[in-house]
Amino acid sequence: MERLDAEISELAAQILRWCGERGLKIACAESLTGGLLANAFVSVPGASSVFLGSAVTYDIRAKASVLHVDSELLRREGAVDPEVARQMARRTAQLFCQSQDEGKVIGLSTTGVAGPDPDGEKPVGLVYSGVSLPEFFKNYESSLEYVFKLELRGSRQIIRRETVRCVLQNLRELTGSSQE
């Protein structure tokens, strides 16, 4: 667990440094991670120059009322769904964006089943994470919205931490911050 936490800290620091050098900001919408993703960022000194905040929308109704995720989609598919993750990422970027940050906010999201029990037909360890990239990336990426499916194993604690690590790794690869 210590090695995983150290890797998460290093990834968060790299991403914050890279985004800070480019004037980019980060906002999160978290469900199963319940603030762990935000914690990865705020544990890095100076994070406030890049990290705007996190909406922990654990309850399905909060996803609809706070983030404005499509309530019909939530009713039909539940919270653990790729489209829900995509909408959460996009909406959190919009929610935290201020006029001075226009076109520069990266939205991240996590939704899934950490266990110990499955969520209906959805097994423990099924996670979707969303990334919404701002206009800044328009010339570099073929798409500005991504959803990643994870199928993780382990305890509830491991699944939640591994989700954070995967989100940070995916963001590092999308932004190219691993190249520096």
Side-chain angles (χ1 to χ4, degrees):
M1 187 71 78
E2 282 182 36
R3 197 175 75 191
L4 179 59
D5 288 342
E7 185 178 354
I8 288 169
S9 294
E10 180 56 33
L11 286 166
Q14 288 173 4
I15 290 165
L16 288 169
R17 188 171 36 256
W18 189 88
C19 288
E21 291 169 356
R22 289 155 182 80
L24 296 170
K25 306 294 183 184
I26 297 172
C28 304
E30 300 183 67
S31 188
L32 86 148
T33 50
L36 286 176
L37 183 56
N39 185 62
F41 289 120
V42 301
S43 294
V44 177
S48 61
S49 65
V50 172
F51 186 68
L52 298 173
S54 180
V56 178
T57 54
Y58 201 70
D59 182 82
I60 198 166
R61 295 168 298 177
K63 289 172 181 63
S65 66
V66 174
L67 297 175
H68 304 290
V69 172
D70 184 306
S71 57
E72 178 57 29
L73 170 67
L74 289 165
R75 186 194 63 71
R76 187 178 66 248
E77 302 298 330
V80 184
D81 179 79
E83 178 61 17
V84 170
R86 188 185 66 73
Q87 286 187 26
M88 287 174 68
R90 181 184 335 132
R91 299 293 202 282
T92 198
Q94 294 167 347
L95 178 67
F96 283 94
C97 186
Q98 304 297 311
S99 59
Q100 66 270 27
D101 303 324
E102 196 68 41
K104 293 190 172 188
V105 178
I106 297 169
L108 303 174
S109 71
T110 64
T111 187
V113 184
D117 300 316
D119 182 6
E121 303 273 323
K122 296 169 182 169
V124 171
L126 175 62
V127 176
Y128 294 101
S129 66
V131 178
S132 178
L133 297 174
E135 292 295 314
F136 175 89
F137 291 93
K138 200 168 193 170
N139 295 328
Y140 307 106
E141 294 292 330
S142 58
S143 174
L144 295 179
E145 294 184 333
Y146 296 86
V147 175
F148 298 93
K149 179 181 180 181
L150 307 172
E151 295 178 38
L152 304 171
R153 297 198 188 292
S155 68
R156 181 176 175 80
Q157 184 180 17
I158 294 291
I159 289 170
R160 294 174 69 229
R161 278 186 160 64
E162 189 63 30
T163 297
V164 171
R165 186 184 64 77
C166 289
V167 168
L168 295 174
Q169 279 185 325
N170 289 334
L171 180 58
R172 187 177 72 166
E173 289 173 22
L174 284 174
T175 61
S177 60
S178 62
Q179 307 303 315
E180 309 220 348

